[in-house]
Amino acid sequence: MLNEYLKQKLDGESLLLMTHCVVGYPSLDANWRMLACMQKAGVSLVELQLPFSEPIADGPVFVKANQAALKQGLRWHEYFDFMAKAAREFDIPLLFMGYYNSVFCMGQDNFCERLKTAGAHGYIIADLPPEEATELDNHAQSQGLDSIHLMTPTSTDARLKDIARNASGFIYCVARKGVTGSKTELDAGISRYIERCRAVTQLPVALGFGIKTPEDISILKGHVDIAIIGTACLEAWEHGGEGKYMQFLQSLHQATLA
Amino acid sequence: MSQHQLQQLFEFEAGREGFFGEFGGAYIPEILHETIAELTTVFNAAHKDPAFWQSYIDLMSTYSCRPTPISYCDNLSALYGVQIYLKREDLNQTGAHKINNVMGQGLLVKRMGKKRVIAETGAGQHGVATATMAAKMGFDCTIYMGAEDVERQRPNVFWMEQLGAEVVVVEDGARTLKDAINSAMRDWAGSMSDTHYVLGTVCGPHPFPLMVTWFQSIIGQEAREQMLTQVGALPKRIYACVGGGSNASGIFCGFLDDEGVELVAVEAGGLGLDSHQHAARIASDDAEIGVAQGYKTYFIQDKEGQMQDTHSISAGLDYIGVGPILARLHQQGRVRFEAATDNEVIDAFRVLVKNEGIIAALESTHAVAQALKEAPQLNQTDKILINLSGRGDKDIFTIADALQDKKWNEFLKNKAKNL
């Protein structure tokens, strides 16, 4: 389970990196090269997003990526084939990321079985509240998959407890209000928020939404266990291709060590 | 007042709040949980407070011509051999039933102390209604509208802007209503501390389906009373068009307890159900149960849950999902779902305007079309009630186009030339 893996890793490193791919965008081949860069740069976890036509939690960059991947015809079997191939080739644990309709239409048990077969470690579902996730989380548990739950700065302490109850692997803390992609100001408010999250869970804590630069990474050190960088990676690829992407990942990893 | 079953909608099993059978719920990003919880609390308190409903009735009677009348269609009745009544929601402020929901939510916004409202719009009717409410109640207002709908409904964009709203053109996805809803949700995820999302129909996460149904039930409550006092009998059938389903929910909810009244929901049949170019979620086989835009219902989606393009001559019915309460009422056999095609609608539009002098919205005309189709099944003494949910002035471009009106085209050409 991821909890053990992450704790082991955190023995040697003070802050781990989790990155993100929208599978099928800009192409499966590009996704493959992104993963190779991640492995080289020392990324510890990666979310593979299954595109959905109505991605309400995503900002403009990922919305466009979801649509383009679907337009190019990405289907479930290609997603899972890609995931299985990546799980064989790379050492980075893979997580499913997506929206509940995909899971619901696939069937919850079928979904967990396919994830397990493809070699994934768990899932993050952007629009499934914890009270609706119980059945899926039970399926996941029986397959040895982790269910990553999201905490947010607007959650009350009572709500944070509810979210923690069935969470496993690690906690995904959303850094601010809004959708993915726009910049987050990392200030004292963030560390108070992270303390509130830590108070309800023993799991490692990750922070995402708007983490964009090596400076952001430096600030997060000592506060959270994992920094999540999604949109900024894709932007690096779009602006400068593989070279820029690799350079960007390395600069992020460097910031975790310094 | 006969409202037993309407009140029952408010009673949920423990742990199943917001669900109507398997439909509904609140499938939302966690960031929205607290704001939805706040809205639910304020809404529940308003629902239990008789003074709130009275303030709503008072506002609607002085600002929006409520109660709207029912009109007997003597010419149409003679022509079709059945007694046809219309509930005249077209006579509302802003020309459609949309204002009912919007003014109700406006009163809730005041209770919550928020300063800004946002809304999605398809045809533009809900956007105009929301901008109107914001102007009257003093809120800032942003309206999200799909780029394709902006092209189809420019006059409504003009009015929204005159009313002081900012109109954001949505270029994502199919560039229609569903994409405008996604954009409004994204805005709300960042702005909820001072902003309320005025969802325009009986869809989206709980409490919206129930809340919008409750505000729109003013239609059905009035209509039932009017049928009893003015006509002396309840109708045999009630027809209403269904996009998301707010006007249908509104009128049906007045009659849920009256088992002898058949409730007929009419979806957009577009180019015909076989063409797959339509928006019939229940009347066709092209939809499956899914979860999107915050709720569970029948969606026009493929086997992998990706939403498909819909088509209707009326922008207001051109939507992928259907209200969860209506989906439940269908499952229970209480509401029958049918579809009327674009062509049937244009024919019905002509019949209604020529015989009764009423210019109906193309959305509402779907209900008229279905009623006229079914008239031969009924007797001369049978009464039917059609919810005429909006007026058709806004559709002048679409209707003139469908009727291939040469003089109108010349007018447009001259206008363009003189720009």
Side-chain angles (χ1 to χ4, degrees):
Chain A
M1 303 289 275
L2 280 176
N3 190 7
E4 299 308 313
Y5 161 81
L6 293 170
K7 284 191 171 152
Q8 248 170 33
K9 277 230 136 191
L10 286 165
D11 266 351
E13 297 175 60
S14 58
L15 181 64
L16 308 177
L17 293 178
M18 177 161 100
T19 51
H20 182 114
C21 269
V22 177
V23 174
Y25 182 80
S27 66
L28 290 174
D29 174 57
N31 295 149
W32 190 258
R33 287 187 285 145
M34 287 173 181
L35 285 168
C37 291
M38 291 174 196
Q39 170 125 335
K40 243 189 265 169
V43 167
S44 295
L45 275 171
V46 59
E47 301 172 67
L48 296 181
Q49 181 165 1
L50 174 63
F52 179 46
S53 58
E54 319 303 315
I56 53 173
D58 281 304
V61 173
F62 281 167
V63 169
K64 197 184 103 199
N66 274 264
Q67 281 163 10
L70 290 174
K71 208 169 165 198
Q72 291 168 39
L74 187 99
R75 308 294 287 177
W76 289 345
H77 71 91
E78 285 166 302
Y79 173 89
F80 285 107
D81 287 352
F82 179 84
M83 181 180 253
K85 214 173 91 186
R88 284 194 298 272
E89 177 74 16
F90 302 108
D91 303 326
I92 314 172
L94 308 175
L95 292 170
F96 169 95
M97 187 266 153
Y99 288 84
Y100 184 56
N101 202 36
S102 306
V103 180
F104 178 77
C105 292
M106 213 175 293
Q108 301 191 349
D109 45 354
N110 184 26
F111 168 72
C112 290
E113 212 176 290
R114 288 177 86 161
L115 276 193
K116 189 69 193 170
T117 309
H121 285 71
Y123 52 80
I124 301 167
I125 299 169
D127 60 346
L128 186 65
E131 55 273 18
E132 301 305 326
T134 315
E135 195 186 325
L136 177 63
D137 290 349
N138 290 340
H139 282 296
Q141 225 170 24
S142 67
Q143 294 276 7
L145 293 166
D146 282 314
S147 171
I148 315 304
H149 288 202
L150 288 91
M151 294 187 178
T152 79
T154 58
S155 312
T156 60
D157 290 346
R159 182 68 180 171
L160 291 179
K161 265 188 206 163
D162 288 345
I163 297 168
R165 192 165 300 126
N166 286 331
S168 63
F170 63 94
I171 297 288
Y172 189 133
C173 296
V174 175
R176 52 157 171 77
K177 294 172 192 166
V179 292
T180 57
S182 33
K183 180 88 181 105
T184 297
E185 290 306 321
L186 298 170
D187 53 23
I190 291 269
S191 57
R192 278 197 299 275
Y193 158 52
I194 295 299
E195 278 166 34
R196 289 207 299 128
C197 298
R198 291 238 194 243
V200 298
T201 181
Q202 297 298 313
L203 295 172
V205 164
L207 188 77
F209 277 49
I211 313 299
K212 289 196 169 296
T213 62
E215 292 72 43
D216 294 340
I217 302 286
S218 304
I219 297 171
L220 292 182
K221 270 175 61 178
H223 295 287
V224 298
D225 305 308
I226 304 162
I228 306 167
I229 307 94
T231 304
C233 291
L234 182 52
E235 281 169 339
W237 184 280
E238 289 188 324
H239 294 155
E242 192 170 346
K244 180 87 185 284
Y245 189 79
M246 185 65 204
Q247 204 183 7
F248 179 62
L249 288 179
Q250 281 170 332
S251 71
L252 295 177
H253 190 251
Q254 196 58 41
T256 68
L257 304 174
Chain B
M1 187 84 57
S2 164
Q3 280 190 50
H4 178 65
Q5 294 199 35
L6 173 60
Q7 292 313 319
Q8 270 190 344
L9 291 174
F10 285 81
E11 290 157 23
F12 298 107
E13 283 171 44
R16 298 287 295 163
E17 193 182 348
F19 280 92
F20 308 93
E22 66 190 293
F23 306 110
Y27 296 86
I28 46 170
E30 186 59 29
I31 195 82
L32 283 170
H33 179 268
E34 295 304 327
T35 204
I36 287 274
E38 176 197 16
L39 177 62
T40 306
T41 304
V42 170
F43 165 57
N44 284 337
H47 172 243
K48 290 196 184 96
D49 176 5
F52 179 85
W53 187 259
Q54 193 53 51
S55 69
Y56 172 59
I57 298 281
D58 292 346
L59 175 63
M60 297 312 285
S61 65
T62 55
Y63 191 61
S64 192
C65 315
R66 297 215 77 93
T68 59
I70 50 171
S71 301
Y72 178 58
C73 301
D74 39 1
N75 298 323
L76 218 54
S77 298
L79 214 59
Y80 284 85
V82 61
Q83 297 184 32
I84 301 172
Y85 294 84
L86 303 176
K87 175 65 173 165
R88 300 294 305 281
E89 289 301 296
D90 59 316
L91 299 178
N92 271 297
Q93 162 80 342
T94 75
H97 72 291
K98 289 286 181 190
I99 196 77
N100 302 333
N101 164 45
V102 158
M103 297 309 283
Q105 289 199 43
L107 293 175
L108 288 182
V109 175
K110 283 190 173 174
R111 281 196 166 198
M112 290 186 285
K114 292 186 173 181
K115 303 279 179 256
R116 175 175 174 257
V117 291
I118 56 174
E120 83 293 347
T121 195
Q125 294 304 92
H126 176 58
V128 169
T130 303
T132 299
M133 176 272 278
K136 172 139 179 82
M137 297 194 179
F139 304 131
D140 292 334
C141 180
T142 303
I143 305 293
Y144 290 90
M145 187 167 182
E148 183 160 321
D149 291 330
V150 169
E151 284 156 25
R152 287 193 281 198
Q153 301 283 348
R154 172 56 65 177
N156 278 334
V157 178
F158 174 80
W159 287 127
M160 285 183 261
E161 288 175 346
Q162 293 307 307
L163 287 158
E166 178 200 5
V167 179
V168 178
V169 181
V170 179
E171 299 282 357
D172 302 328
R175 305 156 83 234
T176 60
L177 177 58
K178 75 175 179 66
D179 309 290
I181 292 177
N182 293 340
S183 290
M185 290 265 196
R186 292 183 189 115
D187 179 317
W188 205 28
S191 65
M192 70 288 223
S193 48
D194 71 343
T195 296
H196 174 67
Y197 177 16
V198 185
L199 217 156
T201 189
V202 289
C203 296
H206 178 70
F208 284 107
L210 184 58
M211 183 169 75
V212 179
T213 295
W214 186 53
F215 287 130
Q216 293 294 4
S217 73
I218 195 171
I219 305 172
Q221 293 182 37
E222 284 175 10
R224 187 175 191 279
E225 180 79 16
Q226 288 164 326
M227 286 303 292
L228 288 175
T229 55
Q230 295 170 31
V231 182
L234 293 179
K236 189 178 170 78
R237 287 182 191 172
I238 299 177
Y239 294 88
C241 67
V242 179
S246 69
N247 89 79
S249 298
I251 195 158
F252 291 168
C253 274
F255 299 84
L256 287 179
D257 294 340
D258 303 305
E259 281 175 19
V261 179
E262 190 181 15
L263 307 174
V264 186
V266 188
E267 296 180 291
L271 304 180
L273 297 187
D274 295 338
S275 72
H276 307 293
Q277 299 281 306
H278 59 75
R281 290 65 42 96
I282 293 184
S284 85
D285 297 326
D286 291 341
E288 296 287 342
I289 297 175
V291 178
Q293 307 205 306
Y295 68 113
K296 186 185 285 184
T297 191
Y298 289 95
F299 285 103
I300 304 243
Q301 58 180 359
D302 69 14
K303 294 239 176 310
E304 299 195 355
Q306 309 293 356
M307 299 303 145
Q308 301 297 292
D309 288 349
T310 49
H311 166 81
S312 171
I313 192 168
S314 60
L317 302 187
D318 197 357
Y319 178 57
I320 50 173
V322 63
I325 296 175
L326 287 174
R328 177 64 173 162
L329 290 170
H330 164 259
Q331 199 177 50
Q332 291 172 324
R334 185 65 187 93
V335 175
R336 171 161 64 89
F337 273 74
E338 303 289 350
T341 65
D342 290 354
N343 286 338
E344 289 168 340
V345 166
I346 289 293
D347 289 346
F349 174 86
R350 291 164 118 157
V351 170
L352 182 65
V353 71
K354 291 255 160 66
N355 289 286
E356 297 294 337
I358 292 171
I359 298 172
L362 287 175
E363 288 80 4
S364 324
T365 308
H366 283 69
V368 178
Q370 188 63 30
L372 299 184
K373 263 197 283 184
E374 294 185 7
Q377 306 167 1
L378 298 166
N379 298 322
Q380 254 173 356
T381 52
D382 288 335
K383 295 169 180 56
I384 62 172
L385 175 64
I386 302 169
N387 197 22
L388 203 79
S389 55
R391 67 171 186 236
D393 312 50
K394 69 178 175 66
D395 294 320
I396 188 164
F397 290 89
T398 313
I399 294 169
D401 202 32
L403 300 180
Q404 299 183 319
D405 189 286
K406 285 202 183 105
K407 288 176 214 156
W408 176 256
N409 285 342
E410 271 164 34
F411 162 75
L412 288 182
K413 275 183 205 150
N414 282 333
K415 268 278 180 200
K417 210 162 46 189
N418 294 333
L419 278 179

